[in-house]
Coordinates of all heavy atoms in Angstrom, one line a residue:
M146 N -3.6 -14.5 6.6 CA -2.6 -13.4 6.7 C -2.6 -12.6 5.4 O -2.5 -11.4 5.5 CB -1.2 -14.0 7.0 CG -0.2 -13.0 7.4 SD -0.7 -12.3 8.9 CE 0.7 -11.5 9.4
A147 N -2.7 -13.2 4.3 CA -2.7 -12.5 3.1 C -4.1 -11.8 2.9 O -5.0 -12.0 3.6 CB -2.5 -13.4 1.9
L148 N -4.1 -10.9 1.9 CA -5.3 -10.2 1.6 C -6.3 -11.1 1.0 O -6.0 -12.0 0.2 CB -5.1 -9.1 0.5 CG -4.2 -7.9 1.0 CD1 -4.0 -6.9 -0.2 CD2 -4.9 -7.1 2.1
T149 N -7.6 -11.0 1.4 CA -8.6 -11.9 0.9 C -9.0 -11.3 -0.5 O -8.8 -10.2 -0.9 CB -9.9 -11.9 1.8 OG1 -10.4 -10.5 1.9 CG2 -9.5 -12.4 3.2
K150 N -9.7 -12.2 -1.3 CA -10.2 -11.7 -2.6 C -11.1 -10.6 -2.5 O -11.1 -9.7 -3.3 CB -10.8 -12.9 -3.3 CG -9.9 -14.0 -3.8 CD -10.6 -15.1 -4.5 CE -9.7 -16.2 -4.9 NZ -10.3 -17.2 -5.7
E151 N -12.0 -10.6 -1.5 CA -13.0 -9.6 -1.3 C -12.3 -8.2 -1.0 O -12.7 -7.2 -1.6 CB -14.0 -9.9 -0.2 CG -14.9 -11.1 -0.5 CD -14.2 -12.4 -0.3 OE1 -13.2 -12.5 0.5 OE2 -14.6 -13.4 -0.8
T152 N -11.3 -8.3 -0.1 CA -10.6 -7.0 0.2 C -9.9 -6.5 -1.0 O -9.9 -5.3 -1.3 CB -9.6 -7.3 1.4 OG1 -10.3 -7.9 2.4 CG2 -9.0 -6.0 1.8
S153 N -9.2 -7.3 -1.7 CA -8.5 -6.9 -2.9 C -9.4 -6.3 -3.9 O -9.1 -5.3 -4.5 CB -7.7 -8.1 -3.5 OG -6.7 -8.5 -2.6
A154 N -10.5 -7.0 -4.1 CA -11.5 -6.5 -5.1 C -12.1 -5.2 -4.7 O -12.3 -4.3 -5.6 CB -12.6 -7.5 -5.3
S155 N -12.3 -5.0 -3.5 CA -12.9 -3.7 -3.0 C -11.9 -2.6 -3.2 O -12.2 -1.4 -3.6 CB -13.4 -3.8 -1.6 OG -12.3 -3.9 -0.7
I156 N -10.6 -2.9 -2.9 CA -9.5 -1.8 -3.1 C -9.3 -1.5 -4.6 O -9.2 -0.4 -4.9 CB -8.2 -2.3 -2.5 CG1 -8.4 -2.4 -0.9 CG2 -7.0 -1.5 -2.9 CD1 -7.2 -3.0 -0.2
V157 N -9.4 -2.5 -5.4 CA -9.2 -2.3 -6.9 C -10.3 -1.5 -7.4 O -10.2 -0.6 -8.2 CB -9.1 -3.7 -7.6 CG1 -9.1 -3.5 -9.1 CG2 -7.8 -4.3 -7.2
S158 N -11.6 -1.8 -7.0 CA -12.7 -1.1 -7.5 C -12.7 0.4 -7.0 O -13.2 1.3 -7.6 CB -14.0 -1.8 -7.1 OG -14.2 -1.8 -5.7
R159 N -12.2 0.6 -5.8 CA -12.2 1.9 -5.2 C -11.1 2.8 -5.8 O -11.4 4.0 -6.0 CB -11.9 1.8 -3.7 CG -11.9 3.1 -2.9 CD -11.8 2.8 -1.4 NE -11.5 4.0 -0.7 CZ -11.0 4.1 0.5 NH1 -10.7 3.0 1.1 NH2 -10.7 5.3 1.0
F160 N -9.9 2.3 -6.0 CA -8.8 3.1 -6.5 C -8.6 3.0 -8.0 O -7.9 3.8 -8.6 CB -7.5 2.8 -5.8 CG -7.6 3.2 -4.3 CD1 -7.9 2.3 -3.3 CD2 -7.3 4.5 -4.0 CE1 -7.9 2.7 -2.0 CE2 -7.3 4.9 -2.7 CZ -7.6 4.0 -1.7
G161 N -9.1 1.9 -8.7 CA -8.8 1.7 -10.1 C -9.9 2.3 -11.0 O -11.0 2.8 -10.5
A162 N -9.7 2.3 -12.3 CA -10.7 2.8 -13.2 C -11.8 1.9 -13.3 O -13.0 2.2 -13.6 CB -10.0 3.1 -14.5
N163 N -11.5 0.5 -13.2 CA -12.5 -0.5 -13.3 C -12.1 -1.7 -12.4 O -11.0 -1.6 -11.8 CB -12.8 -0.9 -14.7 CG -11.6 -1.4 -15.5 OD1 -10.7 -2.0 -14.9 ND2 -11.5 -1.1 -16.7
E164 N -12.8 -2.8 -12.4 CA -12.5 -3.9 -11.6 C -11.2 -4.6 -12.0 O -10.6 -5.3 -11.2 CB -13.7 -4.9 -11.6 CG -15.0 -4.4 -11.0 CD -15.8 -3.7 -12.0 OE1 -15.8 -4.0 -13.2 OE2 -16.5 -2.7 -11.6
N165 N -10.8 -4.5 -13.3 CA -9.7 -5.2 -13.8 C -8.4 -4.3 -13.8 O -7.4 -4.7 -14.4 CB -10.0 -5.8 -15.2 CG -11.1 -6.7 -15.1 OD1 -11.2 -7.5 -14.2 ND2 -11.9 -6.7 -16.2
D166 N -8.5 -3.2 -13.3 CA -7.4 -2.2 -13.4 C -6.4 -2.4 -12.2 O -6.1 -1.5 -11.4 CB -7.9 -0.8 -13.3 CG -6.9 0.3 -13.7 OD1 -5.9 -0.1 -14.2 OD2 -7.1 1.5 -13.4
T167 N -5.8 -3.6 -12.2 CA -4.9 -3.9 -11.1 C -3.4 -3.4 -11.3 O -2.7 -3.3 -10.3 CB -4.7 -5.4 -10.9 OG1 -4.3 -6.0 -12.1 CG2 -6.1 -6.0 -10.5
G168 N -3.1 -2.9 -12.5 CA -1.8 -2.4 -12.8 C -1.6 -1.0 -12.5 O -0.5 -0.4 -12.5
N169 N -2.7 -0.3 -12.2 CA -2.6 1.1 -11.9 C -1.8 1.4 -10.6 O -1.8 0.6 -9.7 CB -4.0 1.7 -11.6 CG -4.1 3.2 -11.6 OD1 -3.1 3.8 -11.3 ND2 -5.3 3.7 -11.9
T170 N -0.9 2.4 -10.7 CA 0.0 2.7 -9.6 C -0.8 3.0 -8.3 O -0.4 2.5 -7.2 CB 0.8 3.9 -9.9 OG1 1.5 3.7 -11.2 CG2 1.9 4.1 -8.9
K171 N -1.9 3.7 -8.4 CA -2.7 4.0 -7.2 C -3.2 2.7 -6.6 O -3.2 2.5 -5.3 CB -3.9 4.9 -7.5 CG -3.5 6.3 -8.0 CD -4.7 7.2 -8.1 CE -5.9 6.6 -8.6 NZ -7.0 7.6 -8.8
V172 N -3.7 1.8 -7.4 CA -4.2 0.5 -6.9 C -3.1 -0.3 -6.2 O -3.3 -0.9 -5.1 CB -4.8 -0.3 -8.0 CG1 -5.2 -1.7 -7.5 CG2 -6.0 0.4 -8.6
Q173 N -1.9 -0.4 -6.8 CA -0.8 -1.1 -6.2 C -0.4 -0.5 -4.9 O -0.1 -1.3 -3.9 CB 0.4 -1.1 -7.2 CG 0.1 -2.0 -8.4 CD 1.3 -2.0 -9.4 OE1 2.4 -1.7 -9.0 NE2 1.1 -2.4 -10.6
I174 N -0.3 0.8 -4.8 CA 0.0 1.4 -3.5 C -1.0 1.2 -2.5 O -0.7 0.9 -1.3 CB 0.2 3.0 -3.7 CG1 1.4 3.2 -4.6 CG2 0.3 3.7 -2.4 CD1 1.6 4.7 -5.1
A175 N -2.3 1.2 -2.8 CA -3.4 0.9 -1.9 C -3.3 -0.5 -1.4 O -3.5 -0.8 -0.2 CB -4.7 1.2 -2.5
L176 N -3.0 -1.5 -2.3 CA -2.9 -2.9 -1.9 C -1.7 -3.1 -1.0 O -1.8 -3.8 0.0 CB -2.8 -3.8 -3.1 CG -4.1 -4.0 -4.0 CD1 -3.7 -4.7 -5.3 CD2 -5.1 -4.7 -3.2
L177 N -0.6 -2.5 -1.3 CA 0.6 -2.6 -0.4 C 0.3 -2.0 0.9 O 0.7 -2.5 2.0 CB 1.8 -1.9 -1.1 CG 2.5 -2.6 -2.2 CD1 3.5 -1.7 -2.8 CD2 3.1 -3.9 -1.7
T178 N -0.4 -0.9 1.0 CA -0.7 -0.2 2.2 C -1.6 -1.1 3.1 O -1.3 -1.3 4.3 CB -1.5 1.1 2.0 OG1 -0.6 2.0 1.2 CG2 -1.8 1.8 3.3
E179 N -2.6 -1.8 2.5 CA -3.4 -2.7 3.3 C -2.6 -3.9 3.8 O -2.8 -4.3 5.0 CB -4.6 -3.2 2.4 CG -5.6 -4.1 3.1 CD -6.3 -3.3 4.2 OE1 -6.5 -2.1 4.1 OE2 -6.6 -4.0 5.2
R180 N -1.7 -4.4 3.0 CA -0.9 -5.5 3.4 C 0.1 -5.1 4.5 O 0.3 -5.8 5.5 CB -0.1 -6.0 2.2 CG 0.8 -7.2 2.5 CD -0.1 -8.5 2.6 NE 0.8 -9.6 2.8 CZ 0.8 -10.4 3.9 NH1 0.0 -10.2 4.8 NH2 1.7 -11.4 4.0
I181 N 0.6 -3.9 4.4 CA 1.5 -3.4 5.5 C 0.7 -3.2 6.8 O 1.3 -3.5 7.9 CB 2.1 -2.0 5.0 CG1 3.2 -2.3 3.9 CG2 2.8 -1.3 6.2 CD1 3.6 -1.1 3.2
K182 N -0.5 -2.8 6.7 CA -1.3 -2.6 7.9 C -1.5 -4.0 8.6 O -1.4 -4.1 9.8 CB -2.7 -2.0 7.6 CG -2.6 -0.6 7.3 CD -4.0 0.0 7.0 CE -3.9 1.4 6.6 NZ -5.3 1.9 6.2
Q183 N -1.8 -5.0 7.8 CA -1.9 -6.4 8.4 C -0.6 -6.9 9.0 O -0.7 -7.4 10.1 CB -2.4 -7.3 7.3 CG -3.8 -7.2 6.9 CD -4.2 -8.2 5.8 OE1 -3.3 -8.9 5.3 NE2 -5.5 -8.2 5.5
L184 N 0.5 -6.7 8.3 CA 1.8 -7.1 8.9 C 2.2 -6.3 10.1 O 2.8 -6.9 11.0 CB 2.8 -7.0 7.8 CG 2.9 -8.2 6.8 CD1 3.9 -7.9 5.7 CD2 3.3 -9.5 7.5
T185 N 1.8 -5.1 10.2 CA 2.1 -4.2 11.4 C 1.4 -4.8 12.6 O 2.0 -4.9 13.6 CB 1.7 -2.8 11.1 OG1 2.4 -2.3 10.0 CG2 2.0 -1.9 12.3
A186 N 0.1 -5.1 12.4 CA -0.6 -5.7 13.5 C 0.0 -7.1 13.9 O 0.1 -7.4 15.1 CB -2.1 -5.9 13.1
H187 N 0.4 -7.9 13.0 CA 1.0 -9.2 13.2 C 2.3 -9.0 14.0 O 2.6 -9.7 15.0 CB 1.3 -9.9 11.9 CG 2.0 -11.2 12.1 ND1 1.4 -12.4 12.6 CD2 3.3 -11.5 12.0 CE1 2.3 -13.3 12.7 NE2 3.5 -12.8 12.3
V188 N 3.1 -8.1 13.6 CA 4.4 -7.8 14.2 C 4.2 -7.3 15.6 O 5.0 -7.6 16.6 CB 5.3 -6.9 13.4 CG1 6.5 -6.4 14.1 CG2 5.7 -7.6 12.1
Q189 N 3.2 -6.5 15.9 CA 3.0 -6.0 17.2 C 2.5 -7.1 18.1 O 2.8 -7.1 19.3 CB 1.9 -4.9 17.2 CG 2.4 -3.6 16.6 CD 1.3 -2.6 16.5 OE1 0.1 -2.8 16.6 NE2 1.7 -1.3 16.2
H190 N 1.8 -8.1 17.6 CA 1.3 -9.2 18.4 C 2.4 -10.2 18.6 O 2.5 -10.9 19.6 CB 0.1 -9.9 17.7 CG -0.6 -10.8 18.6 ND1 -0.4 -12.2 18.5 CD2 -1.6 -10.6 19.5 CE1 -1.2 -12.7 19.4 NE2 -1.9 -11.8 20.0
F191 N 3.3 -10.4 17.6 CA 4.4 -11.4 17.6 C 5.7 -10.6 17.4 O 6.3 -10.7 16.3 CB 4.3 -12.5 16.6 CG 3.0 -13.3 16.7 CD1 1.9 -13.0 15.9 CD2 2.9 -14.2 17.7 CE1 0.7 -13.7 16.1 CE2 1.7 -15.0 17.9 CZ 0.6 -14.7 17.0
P192 N 6.3 -10.0 18.4 CA 7.5 -9.1 18.2 C 8.7 -9.9 17.8 O 9.6 -9.3 17.2 CB 7.7 -8.4 19.5 CG 6.9 -9.2 20.5 CD 5.8 -9.9 19.7
K193 N 8.8 -11.2 18.0 CA 10.0 -11.9 17.7 C 10.0 -12.5 16.3 O 10.9 -13.2 15.9 CB 10.3 -13.0 18.7 CG 10.6 -12.5 20.1 CD 11.0 -13.6 21.0 CE 11.4 -13.0 22.4 NZ 11.7 -14.0 23.3
D194 N 8.9 -12.3 15.6 CA 8.8 -12.8 14.2 C 9.6 -11.9 13.2 O 9.1 -11.0 12.6 CB 7.3 -12.9 13.8 CG 7.1 -13.6 12.5 OD1 8.1 -14.0 11.9 OD2 6.0 -13.8 12.1
S195 N 10.9 -12.2 13.1 CA 11.7 -11.3 12.3 C 11.5 -11.5 10.9 O 11.8 -10.5 10.1 CB 13.2 -11.6 12.7 OG 13.5 -12.9 12.5
S196 N 11.0 -12.6 10.4 CA 10.8 -12.8 9.0 C 9.6 -11.9 8.6 O 9.6 -11.3 7.5 CB 10.5 -14.2 8.6 OG 9.4 -14.7 9.3
A197 N 8.6 -11.7 9.4 CA 7.5 -10.9 9.1 C 7.9 -9.4 9.1 O 7.5 -8.6 8.3 CB 6.4 -11.1 10.2
K198 N 8.8 -9.1 10.1 CA 9.4 -7.7 10.1 C 10.1 -7.4 8.8 O 10.0 -6.3 8.2 CB 10.3 -7.5 11.2 CG 9.7 -7.4 12.6 CD 10.8 -7.2 13.6 CE 10.3 -7.4 15.0 NZ 11.3 -7.3 16.1
R199 N 10.9 -8.3 8.3 CA 11.7 -8.1 7.1 C 10.8 -8.0 5.9 O 11.0 -7.1 5.1 CB 12.6 -9.3 6.9 CG 13.5 -9.1 5.7 CD 14.5 -10.3 5.5 NE 15.5 -10.0 4.5 CZ 15.2 -10.1 3.2 NH1 14.0 -10.5 2.8 NH2 16.2 -9.8 2.3
S200 N 9.7 -8.8 5.8 CA 8.8 -8.7 4.7 C 8.0 -7.4 4.7 O 7.8 -6.8 3.7 CB 7.9 -10.0 4.6 OG 7.1 -10.0 5.8
M201 N 7.7 -7.0 5.9 CA 7.0 -5.7 6.0 C 7.9 -4.6 5.6 O 7.4 -3.7 4.8 CB 6.6 -5.5 7.5 CG 5.8 -4.2 7.7 SD 5.3 -3.9 9.3 CE 6.8 -3.6 10.1
M202 N 9.2 -4.6 5.9 CA 10.1 -3.6 5.5 C 10.3 -3.6 4.0 O 10.5 -2.5 3.4 CB 11.4 -3.7 6.2 CG 11.3 -3.4 7.7 SD 10.4 -1.9 8.2 CE 11.5 -0.7 7.5
K203 N 10.3 -4.8 3.4 CA 10.4 -4.9 1.9 C 9.2 -4.2 1.3 O 9.3 -3.5 0.3 CB 10.5 -6.3 1.5 CG 11.9 -6.9 1.6 CD 11.9 -8.3 1.1 CE 11.8 -8.3 -0.4 NZ 12.1 -9.6 -1.0
L204 N 8.0 -4.5 1.8 CA 6.8 -3.9 1.3 C 6.8 -2.3 1.4 O 6.3 -1.6 0.6 CB 5.6 -4.5 1.9 CG 5.3 -5.9 1.6 CD1 4.1 -6.4 2.4 CD2 5.1 -6.2 0.2
V205 N 7.3 -1.9 2.6 CA 7.4 -0.4 2.8 C 8.3 0.2 1.7 O 8.0 1.3 1.2 CB 7.9 -0.1 4.2 CG1 8.2 1.3 4.4 CG2 6.8 -0.5 5.2
G206 N 9.4 -0.5 1.4 CA 10.3 0.0 0.4 C 9.7 0.1 -1.0 O 9.9 1.0 -1.7
Q207 N 9.0 -1.0 -1.3 CA 8.3 -1.0 -2.6 C 7.3 0.1 -2.7 O 7.1 0.8 -3.7 CB 7.6 -2.3 -2.8 CG 8.5 -3.5 -3.1 CD 7.7 -4.8 -3.2 OE1 6.5 -4.9 -2.9 NE2 8.4 -5.9 -3.6
R208 N 6.5 0.3 -1.6 CA 5.5 1.4 -1.6 C 6.2 2.7 -1.7 O 5.7 3.6 -2.4 CB 4.6 1.3 -0.3 CG 3.5 2.4 -0.3 CD 2.7 2.3 0.9 NE 3.5 2.6 2.1 CZ 3.0 2.6 3.3 NH1 1.7 2.2 3.5 NH2 3.7 3.0 4.3
R209 N 7.3 2.9 -1.0 CA 8.0 4.2 -1.1 C 8.5 4.5 -2.5 O 8.4 5.6 -3.0 CB 9.2 4.2 -0.2 CG 9.9 5.5 -0.1 CD 11.1 5.5 0.8 NE 10.8 5.0 2.1 CZ 11.6 4.1 2.8 NH1 12.7 3.6 2.3 NH2 11.2 3.7 4.0
S210 N 9.0 3.4 -3.2 CA 9.4 3.6 -4.6 C 8.2 4.0 -5.5 O 8.3 4.9 -6.4 CB 10.0 2.3 -5.1 OG 11.1 2.0 -4.4
M211 N 7.1 3.3 -5.3 CA 5.9 3.7 -6.1 C 5.4 5.1 -5.8 O 5.0 5.8 -6.7 CB 4.8 2.6 -5.9 CG 5.1 1.3 -6.5 SD 3.7 0.2 -6.4 CE 4.4 -1.3 -6.9
L212 N 5.5 5.5 -4.6 CA 5.0 6.8 -4.2 C 5.9 7.9 -4.8 O 5.5 8.9 -5.3 CB 5.0 7.0 -2.7 CG 3.8 6.3 -2.0 CD1 3.9 6.4 -0.5 CD2 2.5 7.0 -2.4
K213 N 7.2 7.6 -4.9 CA 8.2 8.5 -5.5 C 7.9 8.6 -7.0 O 7.9 9.7 -7.6 CB 9.6 8.1 -5.3 CG 10.2 8.3 -4.0 CD 11.6 7.9 -4.0 CE 12.3 8.0 -2.6 NZ 13.7 7.5 -2.6
Y214 N 7.6 7.5 -7.6 CA 7.2 7.5 -9.1 C 6.0 8.3 -9.3 O 5.9 9.2 -10.2 CB 7.0 6.1 -9.5 CG 6.4 5.9 -10.9 CD1 7.2 6.1 -12.0 CD2 5.1 5.7 -11.0 CE1 6.6 6.0 -13.3 CE2 4.5 5.6 -12.3 CZ 5.2 5.7 -13.4 OH 4.6 5.7 -14.6
L215 N 4.9 8.1 -8.5 CA 3.7 8.8 -8.7 C 3.9 10.3 -8.4 O 3.3 11.1 -9.1 CB 2.6 8.2 -7.7 CG 1.2 8.7 -7.9 CD1 0.7 8.4 -9.3 CD2 0.3 8.1 -6.8
E216 N 4.7 10.6 -7.4 CA 5.0 12.0 -7.2 C 5.6 12.7 -8.4 O 5.3 13.9 -8.7 CB 5.9 12.2 -5.9 CG 6.1 13.6 -5.5 CD 7.0 13.7 -4.3 OE1 7.7 12.7 -4.0 OE2 6.9 14.7 -3.6
R217 N 6.6 12.0 -9.0 CA 7.2 12.6 -10.2 C 6.2 12.7 -11.4 O 6.3 13.7 -12.1 CB 8.4 11.7 -10.6 CG 9.6 11.8 -9.8 CD 10.8 11.2 -10.5 NE 10.5 9.9 -11.2 CZ 10.6 8.7 -10.6 NH1 11.1 8.6 -9.4 NH2 10.3 7.6 -11.3
R218 N 5.4 11.7 -11.6 CA 4.5 11.7 -12.7 C 3.3 12.6 -12.6 O 2.9 13.3 -13.6 CB 4.0 10.3 -13.0 CG 5.1 9.3 -13.3 CD 5.8 9.5 -14.6 NE 4.8 9.3 -15.6 CZ 5.0 9.1 -16.9 NH1 6.3 9.1 -17.3 NH2 4.1 8.9 -17.8
D219 N 2.6 12.5 -11.4 CA 1.4 13.3 -11.3 C 1.2 13.7 -9.8 O 0.8 13.0 -9.0 CB 0.2 12.4 -11.6 CG -1.1 13.1 -11.7 OD1 -1.1 14.3 -11.5 OD2 -2.1 12.4 -12.1
L220 N 1.6 14.9 -9.5 CA 1.7 15.4 -8.2 C 0.3 15.5 -7.5 O 0.2 15.2 -6.3 CB 2.4 16.8 -8.1 CG 2.7 17.4 -6.8 CD1 3.6 16.5 -6.0 CD2 3.3 18.8 -6.9
E221 N -0.7 16.0 -8.3 CA -2.0 16.1 -7.7 C -2.6 14.8 -7.3 O -3.2 14.6 -6.2 CB -2.9 16.8 -8.7 CG -4.2 17.3 -8.1 CD -4.1 18.2 -6.9 OE1 -3.2 19.1 -7.0 OE2 -4.8 18.1 -5.9
T222 N -2.4 13.8 -8.1 CA -2.9 12.4 -7.8 C -2.2 11.9 -6.6 O -2.8 11.2 -5.7 CB -2.7 11.5 -9.0 OG1 -3.4 12.0 -10.1 CG2 -3.2 10.1 -8.7
Y223 N -0.9 12.1 -6.5 CA -0.1 11.7 -5.4 C -0.6 12.3 -4.1 O -0.8 11.6 -3.1 CB 1.4 12.2 -5.6 CG 2.3 12.1 -4.4 CD1 2.8 10.9 -4.0 CD2 2.6 13.3 -3.7 CE1 3.7 10.8 -2.9 CE2 3.4 13.2 -2.6 CZ 3.9 12.0 -2.2 OH 4.8 12.0 -1.1
R224 N -0.9 13.6 -4.1 CA -1.4 14.3 -2.9 C -2.8 13.7 -2.5 O -3.0 13.5 -1.3 CB -1.5 15.8 -3.1 CG -0.1 16.4 -3.2 CD -0.2 17.9 -3.4 NE 1.1 18.5 -3.4 CZ 1.4 19.6 -3.9 NH1 0.5 20.3 -4.6 NH2 2.7 20.1 -3.9
N225 N -3.6 13.5 -3.4 CA -4.9 13.0 -3.1 C -4.8 11.6 -2.6 O -5.6 11.2 -1.6 CB -5.8 13.0 -4.4 CG -6.2 14.4 -4.8 OD1 -6.2 15.3 -4.0 ND2 -6.5 14.5 -6.1
L226 N -4.0 10.7 -3.1 CA -3.8 9.4 -2.6 C -3.2 9.3 -1.2 O -3.7 8.6 -0.4 CB -2.9 8.6 -3.6 CG -2.7 7.1 -3.3 CD1 -4.0 6.4 -3.4 CD2 -1.7 6.5 -4.2
I227 N -2.3 10.2 -0.9 CA -1.7 10.3 0.4 C -2.8 10.6 1.4 O -2.9 10.0 2.5 CB -0.6 11.3 0.4 CG1 0.6 10.9 -0.4 CG2 -0.1 11.6 1.9 CD1 1.3 9.7 0.2
K228 N -3.6 11.6 1.1 CA -4.7 12.0 1.9 C -5.7 10.9 2.1 O -6.2 10.7 3.3 CB -5.3 13.3 1.4 CG -6.3 14.0 2.3 CD -6.9 15.2 1.7 CE -5.8 16.2 1.4 NZ -6.3 17.5 0.8
E229 N -6.1 10.2 1.1 CA -7.1 9.2 1.1 C -6.6 8.0 1.9 O -7.4 7.4 2.6 CB -7.5 8.8 -0.3 CG -8.8 8.0 -0.4 CD -9.3 7.9 -1.8 OE1 -8.7 8.6 -2.7 OE2 -10.2 7.1 -2.0
L230 N -5.4 7.6 1.8 CA -4.8 6.4 2.5 C -4.4 6.8 3.9 O -4.2 5.9 4.7 CB -3.6 5.9 1.7 CG -3.9 5.2 0.4 CD1 -2.6 4.8 -0.3 CD2 -4.9 4.0 0.6
G231 N -4.3 8.0 4.3 CA -3.9 8.4 5.6 C -2.5 8.3 5.9 O -2.0 8.1 7.0
L232 N -1.6 8.4 4.8 CA -0.2 8.4 5.0 C 0.3 9.8 5.2 O -0.3 10.8 4.8 CB 0.5 7.8 3.7 CG 0.0 6.4 3.3 CD1 0.6 6.1 2.0 CD2 0.3 5.4 4.3
R233 N 1.5 9.9 5.9 CA 2.2 11.2 6.1 C 1.2 12.3 6.6 O 0.7 13.0 5.9 CB 2.8 11.7 4.8 CG 3.8 10.7 4.3 CD 4.7 11.4 3.3 NE 5.7 10.4 2.9 CZ 5.7 9.9 1.6 NH1 4.9 10.4 0.7 NH2 6.6 9.0 1.3
K234 N 1.1 12.4 7.8 CA 0.2 13.3 8.5 C 0.8 14.7 8.5 O 1.9 15.0 8.5 CB -0.1 12.8 9.8 CG -0.8 11.5 9.7 CD -1.3 11.0 11.0 CE -2.2 9.9 10.9 NZ -2.1 8.7 10.4

């Protein structure tokens, strides 16, 4: 259910400056997005799993907070990240 090491490493290398750049806001948002996608599929398959719904909503809130931060700090990076992750159509 959790992200595999290979998936996490590929996301970090894609969005970070290097392989060890896990603290970057873009990387954290991308990792949260991937985890939210997995939980969304799980919740659609198991609609009565309320603990998964709750954890998914917590992750959505965390991602929203980070996106607000990124929007305040660097608007152009924010717009590029939204487009690349396919959020907000």
